């Protein structure tokens, strides 16, 4: 009876892609899920929702194990197991904490929907959750760690940063500009030069110079500073 099993709302969405297809083929070959799914006393699935979905589609029996844990422990165990298996993407953590009512994650989820909507269709959805999250991350601390731990704090100023990144991309037409590395480096330079940095000045300089978008953070930062300071002789107009 597949209906006895329940989904934990904060769990990631089931991904019916290549890996799921391979899993389904394996389960079909062996007549069921060899690795039991893990549920709590209420039959909420802590681990194994893809195995459950595959068994249900194939009409095969489901092997399961009951773990004696509380509701909060179920959430924690679900996250820990997925982290250990490296299963979750940034979108999954955002979905989890947004469903649990974390304001910053709800705001980030809405920002992601906006930046990947038809309004910005010209970007062809090149802004990933990692890029968008990096822009809206309130500190320079590692975005992925903050996101997974529930400590992410939403900074509305990220909207201005992404708008500036789009302007730079439209000037340069270099896809790497829309990547997380460039966004993070530009954000750091802007933060360190709040009183001086002017995006219009930078865009003007870019009409004469090309961005290479180097592979390391130090090189990217140095390139941004070099281009901004190009042909600026007065110290008050230069950044560091």
């Amino acid at each position: 009876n597949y209906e006895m099993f329940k989904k934990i709302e904060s769990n990631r969405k089931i991904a019916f892609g290549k890996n799921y297809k391979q899993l389904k083929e394996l389960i079909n070959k062996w007549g069921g899920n060899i690795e039991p799914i893990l549920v709590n006393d209420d039959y909420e699935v802590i681990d194994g929702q893809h195995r459950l979905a595959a068994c249900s589609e194939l009409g095969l029996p489901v092997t399961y194990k009951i773990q004696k844990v509380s509701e909060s422990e179920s959430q924690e165990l679900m996250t820990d197991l997925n982290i250990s298996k490296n299963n979750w993407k940034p979108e999954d953590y955002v979905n989890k904490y947004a469903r649990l009512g974390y304001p910053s994650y709800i705001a980030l989820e809405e920002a992601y929907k906006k930046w990947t909507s038809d309004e910005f269709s010209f970007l062809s959805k090149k802004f990933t959750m990692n890029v968008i999250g990096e822009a809206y991350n309130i500190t320079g601390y590692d975005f992925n760690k903050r996101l997974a731990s529930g400590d992410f704090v939403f900074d509305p100023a990220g909207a201005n940063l992404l708008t500036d990144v789009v302007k730079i991309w439209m000037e340069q037409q270099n896809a790497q500009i829309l990547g997380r590395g460039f966004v993070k480096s530009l954000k750091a330079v802007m933060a360190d030069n709040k009183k001086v940095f002017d995006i219009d000045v930078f865009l003007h300089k870019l009409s004469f110079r090309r961005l290479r978008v180097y592979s390391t953070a130090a090189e990217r930062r140095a390139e941004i500073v070099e281009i901004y300071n190009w042909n600026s002789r007065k110290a008050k107009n230069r950044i560091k």
Side-chain angles (χ1 to χ4, degrees):
N1 181 9
Y2 307 113
E3 301 302 320
M4 65 188 283
F5 300 106
K6 306 166 190 172
K7 182 181 186 297
I8 296 178
E9 285 305 312
S10 59
N11 201 347
R12 65 180 177 136
K13 297 176 182 178
I14 296 178
F16 296 101
K18 181 180 178 182
N19 290 340
Y20 177 78
K21 183 179 179 181
Q22 292 175 342
L23 173 66
K24 188 175 173 182
E25 289 173 353
L26 182 65
I27 287 175
N28 189 43
K29 176 181 178 180
W30 295 103
N33 57 310
I34 299 171
E35 181 183 358
I37 68 171
L38 191 65
V39 301
N40 59 23
D41 285 328
D42 293 324
Y43 290 90
E44 292 178 319
V45 180
I46 297 171
D47 184 50
Q49 61 176 354
H50 287 79
R51 279 166 270 155
L52 174 60
C55 287
S56 178
E57 283 189 28
L58 294 166
L60 294 173
V62 180
T63 302
Y64 65 92
K65 176 184 176 182
I66 297 177
Q67 187 74 24
K68 300 287 184 180
V69 288
S70 66
E71 182 179 346
S72 61
E73 288 172 334
S74 294
Q75 298 274 357
E76 184 177 359
L77 180 56
M78 176 189 71
T79 304
D80 287 346
L81 287 171
N82 278 286
I83 290 174
S84 68
K85 295 177 181 179
N86 200 27
N87 283 341
W88 278 24
K89 299 176 181 178
E91 293 90 330
D92 299 320
Y93 291 111
V94 174
N95 176 70
K96 171 191 171 179
Y97 289 111
R99 298 292 79 75
L100 290 174
Y102 284 51
S104 283
Y105 288 79
I106 294 172
L108 180 55
E109 189 174 56
E110 289 303 312
Y112 179 75
K113 289 177 182 176
K114 174 188 175 182
W115 287 102
T116 56
S117 68
D118 291 342
E119 180 184 355
F120 297 98
S121 59
F122 61 90
L123 291 174
S124 301
K125 296 188 177 181
K126 286 187 172 66
F127 276 153
T128 64
M129 179 62 83
N130 256 330
V131 173
I132 294 171
E134 189 71 67
Y136 284 97
N137 187 19
I138 201 164
T139 73
Y141 179 71
D142 188 270
F143 165 65
N144 286 337
K145 289 182 180 178
R146 291 187 71 89
L147 196 70
S149 65
D151 293 331
F152 169 80
V153 179
F154 185 84
D155 181 6
N160 297 328
L161 173 61
L162 290 179
T163 298
D164 290 342
V165 169
V166 171
K167 289 178 182 177
I168 295 169
W169 172 74
M170 292 180 74
E171 166 64 41
Q172 297 281 298
Q173 292 295 309
N174 181 342
Q176 289 177 295
I177 290 168
L178 301 177
R180 180 184 174 192
F182 180 78
V183 169
K184 190 172 184 178
S185 296
L186 180 63
K187 181 180 181 181
V189 172
M190 286 179 163
D192 290 343
N193 299 274
K194 290 180 181 179
K195 295 181 179 179
V196 182
F197 195 96
D198 184 330
I199 187 61
D200 291 325
V201 170
F202 190 53
L203 287 168
H204 177 68
K205 300 289 180 72
L206 286 175
S207 64
F208 301 97
R209 302 283 298 270
R210 296 295 299 174
L211 272 166
R212 294 184 179 86
V213 189
Y214 292 101
S215 57
T216 70
E219 289 175 315
R220 287 191 300 267
R221 181 187 176 100
E223 182 183 29
I224 292 169
V225 171
E226 179 191 354
I227 291 175
Y228 192 94
N229 289 339
W230 178 70
N231 215 23
S232 293
R233 293 181 175 83
K234 294 183 178 179
K236 66 177 183 178
N237 296 329
R238 297 172 67 86
I239 63 173
K240 59 183 180 179

